[in-house]
Amino acid sequence: MGLFSLNIQAQTAVEAPAPAPRRGEPVTLNFVNADIEAVARTMAVITGRNVVVDPRVKGTITLTTERPVPPAVAYNQFLAALRMQGFTSVNAAGLEKIVPEADAKLQSSAVSTNVPVGGGQIATTIFKLNYENANNLLPILRPLISPNNTINVNPGNNSLVITDYADNLNRLGRIIAALDVANATDVELIALRHVAAIDVAPLIARLLESSASGGQPSTEASYKTTVLAEPRSNSLIVRAANPARLALVRSLAAKLDQPAMIGPNGAAGNIYVVYLKNADAAKLAVVLRAAMTSGTAAGVGASTAGVSVPAAAAMPVNLSGASTAATSPVTPSGAPSTGGGIQADPATNSLIITASEPQYRQLRAVIDKLDARRAQVYVESLIAEVNVDRAAEFGIQWQGPLGGKGDSLIGLLGTNFGTGGKNIITQATQAGSVAPGTGFNAGVAARSNGVYFLGFLANFLQSTGAGNILSTPNLLTLDNEEAKIVIGQNVPFVTGQYTNAGGGTNNGSVNPFQTVERKDVGLTLRVKPQISENGTVKMAIFQEVSSVQPGSVNSATGLITNKRSIESNVLVEDGSIIVLGGLLQDEYSGNEDKVPGLGDVPVFGNLFKSESRSRKKTNLMVFLRPVVVRDAASTDALSLDRYDLMRTTQQRAQPLPSTLAPINDSPVLPPSER
């Protein structure tokens, strides 16, 4: 077979037509700046194809070969040159159309599910995926396709529709086949030796979640890595998204499964015991848990996308054995906090803290500040009550008969005032059985018909009473703690009674009863001090002085109590004296009985009247003096001062020595050792 050489010069204006080559014979191409349409017609003759050039295809092309090539190779070289110019060939019903590359995807009719072997023509291929999600491959394949061609996703059957050159489709097919594999691994069991699986599972899950699906949240089940804790065998149950994830989980588990290092806390590890000196362990544990809860809830906000962690595996352990679902802080994503636990041991007044060493150091610094020695307040109180009672009575009574012995009618003439021993008729009729009234009494008895009768009675009385009650109750209490002192009697008050006075029961017995309520009567002082930073003492005070009225002791209606109470909140400087309250009371009463007319006569009227007057004055004052005691030295000095005062008082109260009537000494406090 001979060789055919075809050479066209674009610069030649008129050239003689070359002899047509025979179909199938090798040809040597030598087109230099030749018109694209002319080269296309030549290729149609060489290959026997029907070639149509789009009017929008304009320009020249250079196409040369060093040696003769088959027509198919020459045509592929022609298509490659067109591709570099931005044009391509589209086969439509046996017709080869030379069109711009941007329009080729709209005119291509070659659609199949098989990957084309190769070629420079535009084709459309449908790739059906079995394992991988088509949307996940879209960002991977998009950069590998020319800008003028397309790639689309059909979510219905999880397939990709790609329009591109046949040779590029062949390459994309190999890439898709390598990526479309089963991602999830089988369930793996990772045994742990030194650490608890229930503690390691949430840590590994949180480490994986940051890199799940390339850092992007994913809801596909194939991209989730599930980590479960199996407490019975102390193992991790892992189902990874791919072998790489499984290897990462194994690596993390191996790094975390290390024996506990012997640190400052010894074999106790991350469980610390803090013995308190001044604070109450139960109250301090509540405060620290609240502080940790608020700090953890505000500082944790990580997302859990891409990793699923069961709630049972992530639940922290409570030292008391109770569930922490209601007390453990929960992050916005639903994962429990990993903060340490704090429990109180009231028996030893200590705290049991489960936390890492940095967190323990932080808690210990807070505990040292809260476990400081609390200041005390010594409250000196003085309650002074002075009573003065004055009473005066004056009265003259007359009584005499009118008539003689044997008269059928006898009259009585006189005055009658007062009761009991102060009444003239009572004294006359019940002489000897009723004692005369108190005070000065003067009387005159007259004899009539052989019988003596009291005809004149005068009564004079003046009484003065004074009382001075001084109480000095003192209290020593901690800052912000209430103290109470009660000095008095527990008096019964009848609240109800039953008496079966109308008849008996079936057995003829009577069972009366009374219900009694007992109340404290006397002096009560209740103080709650609070020391401010500048030394001022705020005190919530309740003070009460009560007593039983003597005249109501045998009263049928019950006891009557006199009560004076004060309840207030005050501010006092350290060591200053404040007047809490006072009562100044002055009572006056007067009574006069007289005979109308005669009792109003000056001087002479005093013989026909009786007068009584009384006046009562009560002065009550309450003084308070708080003293802040901040250290042991101040407390000892205050205690020893009061101790020595009491011991000196007891020594002074010893009986005088006597040889005639020896008396043993009374007990005395021993001398202080300090």
Side-chain angles (χ1 to χ4, degrees):
M1 180 179 297
L3 298 177
F4 177 81
S5 177
L6 181 62
N7 188 356
I8 299 177
Q9 297 292 335
Q11 294 84 0
T12 305
V14 179
E15 295 184 356
R22 289 180 295 178
R23 185 178 301 175
E25 292 183 356
V27 296
T28 300
L29 303 179
N30 189 18
F31 297 98
V32 179
N33 293 329
D35 185 69
I36 294 178
E37 185 176 358
V39 176
R41 287 197 301 270
T42 303
M43 288 298 170
V45 174
I46 295 174
T47 59
R49 301 170 183 263
N50 295 324
V51 180
V52 177
V53 180
D54 191 283
R56 291 173 295 177
V57 178
K58 302 292 184 180
T60 60
I61 189 173
T62 299
L63 187 62
T64 60
T65 59
E66 299 296 333
R67 62 181 63 84
V69 294
V73 176
Y75 188 74
N76 288 335
Q77 189 173 353
F78 171 63
L79 294 179
L82 288 176
R83 184 174 178 180
M84 297 178 64
Q85 295 284 88
F87 307 109
T88 187
S89 173
V90 178
N91 187 298
L95 182 63
E96 299 289 337
K97 296 187 292 183
I98 308 299
V99 296
E101 188 181 47
D103 295 339
K105 59 181 176 290
L106 303 177
Q107 301 184 22
S108 175
S109 62
V111 179
S112 66
T113 58
N114 297 324
V115 180
V117 177
Q121 291 186 332
I122 296 293
T124 300
T125 302
I126 300 175
F127 296 91
K128 294 184 178 181
L129 305 180
N130 297 321
Y131 305 102
E132 189 57 71
N133 191 316
N135 287 315
N136 295 335
L137 294 183
L138 185 62
I140 299 175
L141 301 178
R142 173 73 71 181
L144 304 178
I145 301 173
S146 60
N148 291 326
N149 295 322
T150 60
I151 176 173
N152 297 298
V153 175
N154 181 16
N157 60 357
N158 193 35
S159 60
L160 294 171
V161 180
I162 304 176
T163 300
D164 203 359
Y165 293 97
D167 52 357
N168 196 32
L169 290 175
N170 190 8
R171 182 182 64 153
L172 295 176
R174 294 192 299 270
I175 295 175
I176 293 173
L179 295 177
D180 188 24
V181 295
N183 290 324
T185 62
D186 293 335
V187 177
E188 296 288 337
L189 192 66
I190 303 176
L192 303 177
R193 298 178 55 189
H194 304 288
V195 295
I198 195 172
D199 296 333
V200 173
L203 297 179
I204 294 179
R206 292 196 177 192
L207 291 173
L208 292 175
E209 69 185 11
S210 60
S211 59
S213 301
Q216 298 295 329
S218 174
T219 58
E220 296 297 326
S222 60
Y223 275 88
K224 286 186 178 180
T225 299
T226 304
V227 181
L228 300 176
E230 204 286 303
R232 187 183 62 85
S233 61
N234 195 35
S235 303
L236 297 177
I237 302 175
V238 183
R239 185 179 183 274
N242 47 59
R245 288 277 171 173
L246 179 59
L248 179 59
V249 173
R250 287 185 178 276
S251 175
L252 293 175
K255 293 179 180 179
L256 294 175
D257 188 23
Q258 299 294 331
M261 298 180 61
I262 303 301
N265 201 30
N270 62 341
I271 301 179
Y272 300 86
V273 179
V274 180
Y275 294 96
L276 302 180
K277 300 177 181 178
N278 302 287
D280 183 80
K283 296 180 180 179
L284 186 57
V286 175
V287 175
L288 293 177
R289 280 197 295 265
M292 290 182 61
T293 301
S294 60
T296 306
V300 179
S303 174
T304 57
V307 180
S308 61
V309 182
M315 186 67 66
V317 178
N318 192 323
L319 295 178
S320 62
S323 173
T324 58
T327 59
S328 297
V330 178
T331 64
S333 60
S337 169
T338 57
I342 302 175
Q343 298 296 330
D345 181 21
T348 59
N349 194 38
S350 59
L351 296 175
I352 302 175
I353 303 175
T354 303
S356 60
E357 186 176 353
Q359 191 175 27
Y360 167 73
R361 290 198 299 267
Q362 183 182 14
L363 288 172
R364 187 57 188 267
V366 177
I367 292 173
D368 291 341
K369 293 182 179 180
L370 296 178
D371 192 30
R373 179 187 176 92
R374 295 172 60 183
Q376 301 182 89
V377 179
Y378 179 73
V379 181
E380 295 179 319
S381 61
L382 188 149
I383 303 173
E385 182 177 0
V386 180
N387 298 324
V388 177
D389 298 334
R390 293 172 179 258
E393 295 183 6
F394 166 78
I396 297 177
Q397 304 177 57
W398 301 87
Q399 200 66 243
L402 295 178
K405 185 177 180 182
D407 294 342
S408 59
L409 296 176
I410 296 177
L412 295 176
L413 178 66
T415 59
N416 184 26
F417 304 116
T419 59
K422 301 178 182 180
N423 184 269
I424 187 172
I425 295 179
T426 302
Q427 290 293 318
T429 59
Q430 302 180 14
S433 61
V434 177
T438 57
F440 177 77
N441 295 291
V444 176
R447 182 177 181 181
S448 178
N449 298 325
V451 179
Y452 288 94
F453 63 93
L454 188 62
F456 173 80
L457 177 63
N459 176 259
F460 303 90
L461 172 65
Q462 182 175 355
S463 62
T464 301
N468 183 9
I469 302 176
L470 180 64
S471 301
T472 58
N474 300 329
L475 290 174
L476 179 64
T477 180
L478 286 174
D479 179 23
N480 209 25
E481 294 289 343
E482 183 180 283
K484 178 181 179 181
I485 184 172
V486 178
I487 304 172
Q489 295 178 327
N490 194 256
V491 180
F493 290 86
V494 178
T495 58
Q497 62 182 356
Y498 171 76
T499 303
N500 190 1
T505 58
N506 295 332
N507 56 7
S509 62
V510 179
N511 297 317
F513 66 89
Q514 290 181 338
T515 57
V516 177
E517 179 183 4
R518 293 186 174 273
K519 295 183 179 179
D520 293 330
V521 175
L523 175 65
T524 301
L525 178 62
R526 188 168 63 243
V527 180
K528 183 178 181 180
Q530 184 178 0
I531 306 172
S532 62
E533 189 176 356
N534 59 357
T536 303
V537 182
K538 176 183 178 183
M539 293 191 298
I541 304 170
F542 173 79
Q543 186 271 331
E544 178 181 289
V545 177
S546 59
S547 62
V548 177
Q549 187 170 336
S552 65
V553 173
N554 297 321
S555 176
T557 58
L559 298 176
I560 299 176
T561 57
N562 301 318
K563 183 171 68 174
R564 305 177 184 89
S565 63
I566 300 173
E567 187 171 2
S568 178
N569 296 321
V570 296
L571 285 176
V572 190
E573 297 295 331
D574 182 14
S576 300
I577 299 177
I578 187 172
V579 179
L580 183 62
L583 173 64
L584 303 178
Q585 185 177 3
D586 190 351
E587 298 180 3
Y588 171 80
S589 63
N591 185 32
E592 183 182 63
D593 296 331
K594 64 182 178 179
V595 177
L598 295 178
D600 296 330
V601 177
V603 181
F604 180 75
N606 292 327
L607 300 176
F608 300 95
K609 65 181 178 181
S610 174
E611 293 182 341
S612 63
R613 300 175 183 177
S614 65
R615 188 169 189 175
K616 181 179 181 180
K617 290 185 178 182
T618 302
N619 297 331
L620 174 64
M621 301 296 289
V622 180
F623 301 89
L624 293 176
R625 178 175 178 264
V627 178
V628 178
V629 182
R630 298 187 180 274
D631 51 22
S634 301
T635 304
D636 292 343
L638 182 63
S639 301
L640 291 176
D641 178 69
R642 294 296 181 264
Y643 188 90
D644 293 340
L645 175 63
M646 181 59 68
R647 188 171 184 274
T648 302
T649 303
Q650 290 180 339
Q651 288 176 341
R652 292 176 179 176
Q654 294 296 321
L656 296 176
S658 174
T659 57
L660 298 177
I663 302 176
N664 296 332
D665 293 342
S666 61
V668 179
L669 292 174
S672 61
E673 298 179 357
R674 299 183 182 181

